[in-house]
């Protein structure tokens, strides 16, 4: 694996090479790269694709001032580094032609065939739609990526290559776009690369994201690694030499390499352990590549005889591969000089899979696509497609995908001895829902290794699990706090929503009957036939129960039904629509209306006036945040962040469209967490920074840690998200401040 400092140097100096990066020179490098693994490639066809893309993008420039064609060439080069087929590489060259130029899919199909046209269409569609807010756009883009992945995995590989090249040249973008793109990369694209098993892409995306999200920390790593380069290279050489000699004694042929861990993994270790860079011990990793699986375990014995292993740090991913098919033996030992070192042992085939993931198994059926063996290796893609079909709300879908992408796997046993795989943090309830939905819904207790444990128990590697059920048990909202996997959460939410809908139907039906009776209308006659069709058409609903649900949740006033089916009854009772009494919503929120003046100044609610607005204490949204509203009977509208976990637990039938009223000036409370060096006077400097930005501190909590750090939590008043971002940027520049983050939940 590449030294992160060396790799970053290559990226930073890309434009400072002896020769300028001209399109013709990069095209030659691309063909040379392809020839190393696919010498029989149709290079004249590749030339035609380049000429088409070059002509289509003629006159277009990137923000750096370079010809735009260098971007498609860069994407194609990344795909060639993955050793992908010519169709995929040509898609990289052509991926922006339909979206950004006058070229059409018909042009591509005529010149390059239907396969490339479909691939370009798939890449284009991922980011072509327009949505109400950035959170929804991100959610829908991910949904479209998953659909595209199900049709042809090459679409997402091109998208990953596109993102990687954009990240390599992100320094030319404005600061706010750098932060937004880097965060999206860390949230979605790096985990996708990981799940597809393409480790080098995942590592580079993570390091580049860290560079723009935490520049102070990133460049601190650069300086520290640079200072110890000679010392590190000497140590790596010593370990490799010692291990190579021992392997030769045992008659084992193996390739031994060493490198420092990449910056983002070091940063995560510091964050998890709340420690400084100098306190991270296993900064170096070594790899031994051998011929067979048996030799992997033989090498493990050699390593443990040579150096003392650290208890609890051995992982066997050969016998139990990760979800992305990664296989390797991992052990951490006390190496020369008492330094910790991680050693990975694998075969050449395992190494190929670890580095290139799905691309390492690229075999084609006649007509294109991936063979059944490769599809089986990546069955999780089919699960993502099922979630796409089941989850209609884009925010809920995004939360589901994120949960699934970020996984550290553990392995447990069923009572029969079968092995089941779960993400780290899973509980017995996750296990129960993985067995069957009915088993999960009826779970009352769990036995781990023969002993009863609480349902909040975190599963551990090697646990044997037995679920105890009861026909009288039902899931509750509290269960959502006890589960980790997307499957379990979705099943619990579906059951709760089903029960809430049933209650809303019952209540709505009673209210409709009572209201119709008030106007001497026969309920049974009016809720079927032509009159029912008229109501459904007028209200844009699908069936009678939808009407009852709308009424039961307070989104539809029962008198509205009388307006539709019997307006003469209203006129006869001197209650014509022009003199309509208070709507049902106004009655429900009557007490709230009197208190709603402040809320109206901050939030606008589509189709409703004079409604009390409350903000969720769980997420504390501020102006500029993507938000959603939910009707709360008797308490008006509760507004949450679009990404608030509680949003996914609520019935979407109670959801209403809300937006910030930008015409009014208001201040909301934001919660910030600062990690800094524990030094005298630093709290005063932070307070001065707040004052300079016109920010009032409502509350502050400061605690010192054992490793000479201080963690400060501030609740401050800010105008909007832009104001908050500016405040955070100023705080990050205060000497001694390590990190600044907004606490949303």
């Amino acid at each position: 694996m590449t030294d992160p400092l060396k790799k970053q140097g290559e990226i930073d100096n890309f434009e400072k090479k002896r020769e300028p990066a001209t399109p013709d020179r990069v095209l030659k490098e691309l063909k040379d790269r392809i020839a190393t693994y696919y010498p029989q490639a149709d290079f004249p066809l590749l030339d035609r694709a380049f000429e088409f893309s070059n002509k289509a993008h003629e006159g277009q420039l990137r923000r750096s001032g370079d010809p735009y064609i260098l971007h498609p060439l860069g994407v194609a080069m990344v795909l060639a580094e993955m050793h992908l087929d010519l169709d995929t590489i040509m898609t990289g060259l052509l991926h922006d032609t339909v979206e950004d130029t006058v070229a059409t899919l018909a042009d591509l199909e005529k010149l390059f065939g239907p396969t490339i046209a479909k691939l370009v269409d798939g890449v284009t569609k991922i980011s072509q739609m327009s949505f109400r807010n950035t959170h929804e756009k991100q959610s829908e883009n991910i949904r479209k990526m998953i659909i595209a992945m199900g049709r042809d995995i090459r679409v997402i590989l091109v998208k990953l290559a596109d993102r990687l090249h954009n990240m390599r040249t992100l320094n030319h973008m404005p600061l706010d776009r750098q932060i937004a793109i880097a965060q999206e990369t860390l949230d979605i694209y790096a985990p996708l690369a990981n799940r597809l098993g393409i480790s080098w892409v995942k590592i580079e995306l993570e390091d580049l994201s860290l560079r723009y999200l935490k520049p102070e920390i990133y460049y601190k790593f650069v300086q520290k690694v640079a200072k110890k380069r000679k010392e590190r290279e000497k140590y790596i050489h010593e370990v490799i030499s010692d291990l190579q000699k021992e392997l030769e004694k045992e008659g084992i042929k193996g390739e031994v390499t060493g490198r420092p861990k990449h910056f983002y993994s070091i940063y995560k270790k510091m964050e998890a352990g709340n420690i400084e860079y100098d306190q991270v011990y296993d900064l170096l990793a070594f790899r031994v590549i051998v011929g067979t699986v048996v030799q992997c375990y033989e090498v493990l014995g050699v390593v443990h005889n040579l150096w003392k292993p650290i208890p609890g740090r051995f992982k066997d991913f050969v016998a139990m591969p990760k979800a992305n098919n990664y296989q390797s033996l991992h052990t951490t030992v006390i190496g020369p000089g008492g330094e910790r070192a991680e050693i990975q042992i694998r075969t050449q085939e395992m190494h190929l899979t670890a580095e290139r993931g799905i691309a390492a198994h690229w075999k084609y059926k006649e007509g294109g696509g991936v063979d059944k063996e490769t599809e089986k290796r990546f069955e999780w893609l089919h699960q993502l497609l099922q979630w796409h079909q089941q989850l209609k709300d884009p925010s809920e879908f995004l939360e589901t995908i994120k949960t699934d992408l970020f996984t550290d796997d553990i392995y447990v046993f069923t009572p029969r001895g079968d092995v089941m795989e779960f993400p780290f943090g899973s509980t017995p309830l996750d296990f129960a829902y993985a067995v069957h939905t009915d088993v999960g819904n009826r779970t009352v207790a769990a036995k781990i290794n023969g002993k009863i444990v609480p349902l909040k128990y975190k599963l551990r590697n090697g646990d044997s699990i037995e679920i105890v059920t009861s026909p009288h048990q039902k899931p509750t909202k509290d269960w959502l706090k006890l589960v980790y996997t997307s499957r379990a959460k979705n099943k619990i939410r579906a059951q709760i929503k089903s029960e809430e809908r049933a209650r809303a139907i019952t209540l709505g039906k009673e209210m409709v009957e009572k209201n119709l009776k008030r106007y001497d209308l026969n309920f049974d006659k009016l809720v079927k036939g032509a009159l029912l069709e008229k109501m459904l058409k007028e209200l844009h609903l699908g069936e009678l129960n939808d009407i009852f649900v709308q009424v039961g949740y307070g989104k539809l006033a029962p008198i509205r039904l009388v307006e539709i089916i019997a307006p003469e009854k209203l006129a006869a009772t001197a209650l014509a629509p022009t003199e309509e009494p208070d709507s049902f919503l106004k009655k429900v929120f009557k007490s709230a209306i009197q208190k709603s003046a402040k809320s109206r100044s901050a939030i606008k609610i589509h189709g409703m006036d004079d409604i009390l607005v409350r903000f969720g204490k769980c997420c504390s949204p501020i102006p500029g945040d993507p938000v959603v509203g939910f009707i709360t009977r008797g308490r008006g509208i509760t507004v949450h962040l679009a990404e608030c976990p509680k949003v996914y637990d609520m019935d979407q039938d109670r959801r209403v469209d809300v937006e910030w009223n930008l015409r009014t000036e208001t201040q909301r409370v934001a919660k910030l967490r600062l990690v800094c060096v524990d030094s005298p006077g630093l709290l005063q400097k932070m307070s001065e920074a707040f004052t300079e930005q016109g920010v009032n501190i409502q509350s502050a909590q400061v605690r010192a840690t054992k490793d000479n750090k201080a963690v400060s939590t501030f609740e401050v008043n800010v105008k909007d998200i832009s104001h908050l971002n500016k405040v955070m940027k100023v705080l990050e520049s205060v000497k001694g401040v390590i990190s600044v983050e907004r606490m949303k939940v």
Side-chain angles (χ1 to χ4, degrees):
M1 191 174 293
T2 310
D3 182 326
L5 184 63
K6 181 181 177 183
K7 184 66 180 178
Q8 190 56 55
E10 291 173 0
I11 295 168
D12 289 341
N13 295 323
F14 180 74
E15 298 173 7
K16 300 177 183 177
K17 292 181 179 179
R18 285 172 296 173
E19 298 180 54
T22 63
D24 289 339
R25 185 173 64 79
V26 179
L27 177 63
K28 182 181 181 303
E29 290 177 2
L30 174 63
K31 289 195 277 191
D32 290 344
R33 178 66 58 86
I34 296 170
T36 62
Y37 69 92
Y38 188 26
Q40 69 273 29
D42 188 347
F43 290 112
L45 184 62
L46 182 72
D47 286 334
R48 291 206 301 273
F50 166 74
E51 289 165 6
F52 182 91
S53 183
N54 194 23
K55 186 174 180 181
H57 291 294
E58 190 174 8
Q60 295 180 359
L61 298 176
R62 302 204 83 201
R63 285 182 178 269
S64 62
D66 289 331
Y68 192 88
I69 187 62
L70 287 178
H71 170 61
L73 278 167
V75 173
M77 184 68 80
V78 173
L79 294 168
E81 288 175 23
M82 296 183 194
H83 288 201
L84 290 173
D85 62 300
L86 198 62
D87 281 352
T88 311
I89 293 170
M90 288 169 63
T91 300
L93 279 173
L94 300 164
H95 77 279
D96 277 337
T97 54
V98 173
E99 185 174 4
D100 295 341
T101 77
V102 295
T104 66
L105 286 173
D107 296 333
L108 296 183
E109 185 168 358
K110 181 179 178 181
L111 291 169
F112 306 108
T115 299
I116 288 178
K118 286 179 181 177
L119 289 172
V120 171
D121 185 40
V123 177
T124 302
K125 284 181 176 176
I126 287 175
S127 56
Q128 214 173 36
M129 293 181 70
S130 177
F131 300 94
R132 287 196 300 270
N133 56 55
T134 54
H135 185 78
E136 184 170 329
K137 181 175 181 180
Q138 185 190 45
S139 306
E140 278 297 340
N141 278 348
I142 300 308
R143 185 190 286 268
K144 291 174 75 64
M145 271 199 285
I146 299 307
I147 300 168
M149 286 163 65
R151 291 176 182 159
D152 194 325
I153 193 68
R154 290 176 290 181
V155 170
I156 195 59
L157 294 177
V158 175
K159 193 64 185 174
L160 278 174
D162 178 44
R163 178 51 61 105
L164 179 55
H165 188 259
N166 281 330
M167 287 297 295
R168 287 174 174 177
T169 55
L170 194 61
N171 57 308
H172 298 291
M173 296 292 285
L175 182 60
D176 59 334
R177 292 292 296 144
Q178 288 179 0
I179 294 171
I181 292 170
Q183 189 62 58
E184 185 182 61
T185 300
L186 199 57
D187 286 346
I188 300 300
Y189 289 93
L192 267 178
N194 181 51
R195 286 297 257 143
L196 290 169
I198 313 170
S199 64
W200 71 270
V201 173
K202 170 233 180 194
I203 286 170
E204 193 172 337
L205 287 175
E206 287 178 341
D207 282 352
L208 287 168
S209 298
L210 183 67
R211 177 186 179 186
Y212 292 101
L213 292 173
K214 304 283 183 182
E216 183 180 346
I217 293 173
Y218 178 85
Y219 287 107
K220 189 182 292 183
F221 287 168
V222 171
Q223 292 168 2
K224 287 182 178 292
V225 171
K227 282 181 182 177
K228 297 187 177 182
R229 182 186 292 274
K230 289 185 179 179
E231 179 184 331
R232 182 181 73 242
E233 289 175 350
K234 181 181 177 183
Y235 185 83
I236 289 174
H237 177 75
E238 181 182 353
V239 171
I240 291 175
S241 178
D242 290 350
L243 184 52
Q244 198 77 59
K245 288 176 184 176
E246 290 299 315
L247 293 179
E248 289 172 4
K249 284 182 186 178
E250 298 296 327
I252 301 172
K253 290 184 178 181
E255 177 190 351
V256 186
T257 57
R259 45 87 189 173
K261 291 193 172 180
H262 68 290
F263 292 158
Y264 186 73
S265 69
I266 298 172
Y267 169 70
K268 292 299 287 182
K269 282 179 177 288
M270 291 170 58
E271 284 284 292
N274 200 20
I275 56 177
E276 292 287 348
Y277 176 87
D278 295 330
Q279 295 173 285
V280 180
Y281 295 110
D282 48 344
L283 290 169
L284 298 176
F286 296 86
R287 183 174 297 138
V288 184
I289 299 175
V290 292
T292 66
V293 172
V294 172
Q295 286 179 328
C296 289
Y297 291 97
E298 290 176 351
V299 171
L300 180 68
V302 170
V303 170
H304 285 178
N305 282 332
L306 184 59
W307 298 299
K308 184 177 180 180
I310 297 174
R313 297 286 294 173
F314 169 66
K315 295 178 181 178
D316 188 343
F317 296 120
V318 173
M320 292 186 288
K322 289 187 176 183
N324 61 4
N325 299 299
Y326 175 88
Q327 286 185 288
S328 189
L329 298 178
H330 286 200
T331 185
T332 303
V333 298
I334 304 295
E339 293 287 334
R340 290 190 183 196
E342 181 184 79
I343 298 178
Q344 302 170 357
I345 308 163
R346 62 180 69 149
T347 65
Q348 184 62 46
E349 184 182 353
M350 293 174 192
H351 179 63
L352 191 64
T353 300
E355 290 299 296
R356 287 173 37 212
I358 194 169
H361 305 279
W362 209 254
K363 299 173 186 175
Y364 290 98
K365 299 177 291 184
E366 191 173 340
V370 186
D371 66 7
K372 288 186 178 179
E373 181 186 349
T374 303
E375 285 182 352
K376 189 175 180 182
R377 288 173 179 268
F378 292 87
E379 287 179 350
W380 60 275
L381 283 175
H382 298 295
Q383 181 64 62
L384 296 187
L385 282 171
Q386 288 178 18
W387 286 333
H388 152 68
Q389 293 164 357
Q390 295 170 5
L391 304 176
K392 303 304 180 186
D393 179 58
S395 297
E396 188 173 348
F397 181 74
L398 179 61
E399 187 251 1
T400 296
I401 295 304
K402 283 185 177 181
T403 300
D404 182 65
L405 292 179
F406 290 97
T407 57
D408 290 319
D409 304 316
I410 58 172
Y411 302 88
V412 298
F413 296 94
T414 69
R416 294 181 181 180
D418 297 328
V419 177
M420 293 184 71
E421 178 186 341
F422 290 91
F424 181 80
S426 299
T427 67
L429 271 175
D430 291 298
F431 175 88
Y433 277 102
V435 173
H436 196 279
T437 302
D438 288 340
V439 174
N441 288 340
R442 299 199 309 268
T443 298
V444 292
K447 290 182 180 179
I448 302 292
N449 306 321
K451 295 181 180 180
I452 293 287
V453 298
L455 292 180
K456 65 180 180 180
Y457 171 88
K458 303 294 183 185
L459 300 182
R460 300 171 186 169
N461 269 319
D463 280 345
S464 181
I465 309 173
E466 182 182 348
I467 298 297
V468 182
T469 63
S470 167
H472 307 294
Q473 179 68 295
K474 288 183 179 180
T476 67
K477 284 187 176 182
D478 290 337
W479 281 20
L480 291 166
K481 300 174 184 177
L482 302 179
V483 294
Y484 182 85
T485 61
S486 300
R487 175 184 172 85
K489 288 179 180 178
N490 292 335
K491 295 298 182 183
I492 294 169
R493 287 171 183 149
Q495 184 68 20
I496 292 171
K497 288 174 183 177
S498 176
E499 292 176 2
E500 287 184 348
R501 180 179 171 85
R503 286 195 292 269
I505 288 172
T506 301
L507 176 61
K509 183 178 180 181
E510 289 176 2
M511 296 174 69
V512 170
E513 283 183 326
K514 187 181 293 184
N515 195 71
L516 293 181
K517 187 176 181 181
R518 178 183 174 189
Y519 293 96
D520 296 324
L521 294 170
N522 187 296
F523 174 82
D524 294 326
K525 289 182 179 179
L526 296 175
V527 294
K528 57 187 177 183
L531 289 175
L532 175 59
E533 292 299 321
K534 184 178 181 181
M535 284 191 291
L536 293 175
K537 184 177 180 181
E538 185 78 20
L539 298 170
H540 305 290
L541 297 174
E543 61 176 11
L544 178 60
N545 279 345
D546 291 338
I547 294 177
F548 295 152
V549 168
Q550 294 271 310
V551 174
Y553 280 138
K555 294 180 76 173
L556 176 67
I559 199 171
R560 178 79 179 98
L561 304 180
V562 181
E563 288 180 20
I564 296 170
I565 59 178
E568 70 281 359
K569 290 283 186 179
L570 288 175
T573 55
L575 286 173
T578 54
E579 299 171 352
E580 180 189 344
D582 281 351
S583 72
F584 172 72
L585 275 179
K586 288 184 179 179
K587 285 184 178 179
V588 170
F589 303 133
K590 189 173 182 179
S591 62
I593 292 171
Q594 299 168 359
K595 311 169 189 175
S596 64
K598 289 184 180 179
S599 301
R600 287 202 309 272
S601 64
I603 287 288
K604 293 189 291 186
I605 303 163
H606 296 273
M608 300 183 194
D609 296 314
D610 295 329
I611 301 300
L612 173 64
V613 173
R614 301 164 63 248
F615 292 94
K617 293 181 180 178
C618 50
C619 54
S620 300
I622 62 176
D625 281 330
V627 289
V628 295
F630 286 88
I631 292 175
T632 309
R633 190 176 298 278
R635 291 185 292 168
I637 304 294
T638 303
V639 176
H640 292 267
L641 279 174
E643 61 191 52
C644 176
K646 285 198 174 182
V647 166
Y648 314 121
D649 304 337
M650 297 180 181
D651 196 315
Q652 298 304 307
D653 285 325
R654 293 195 284 118
R655 181 169 174 165
V656 291
D657 291 331
V658 299
E659 61 181 292
W660 294 100
N661 187 354
L662 301 179
R663 293 183 180 180
T664 60
E665 290 190 8
T666 184
Q667 289 203 339
R668 293 279 304 144
V669 175
K671 200 170 185 179
L672 296 177
R673 180 179 182 269
L674 283 73
V675 178
C676 48
V677 178
D678 188 7
S679 61
L682 187 55
L683 183 59
Q684 182 181 344
K685 291 178 183 177
M686 291 189 290
S687 299
E688 289 172 353
F690 280 123
T691 303
E692 288 174 6
Q693 297 303 311
V695 171
N696 180 47
I697 301 174
Q698 281 202 354
S699 68
Q701 292 181 340
V702 182
R703 63 179 178 84
T705 60
K706 293 179 180 178
D707 56 350
N708 296 320
K709 285 185 184 175
V711 179
S712 306
T713 304
F714 295 96
E715 288 188 356
V716 297
N717 291 329
V718 294
K719 298 174 184 176
D720 51 33
I721 193 69
S722 298
H723 187 201
L724 177 62
N725 288 338
K726 186 177 180 182
V727 171
M728 292 175 67
K729 207 69 188 171
V730 170
L731 289 170
E732 286 175 347
S733 66
V734 174
K735 188 175 181 181
V737 174
I738 298 171
S739 65
V740 182
E741 64 175 329
R742 177 185 173 191
M743 301 172 67
K744 294 182 180 179
V745 180

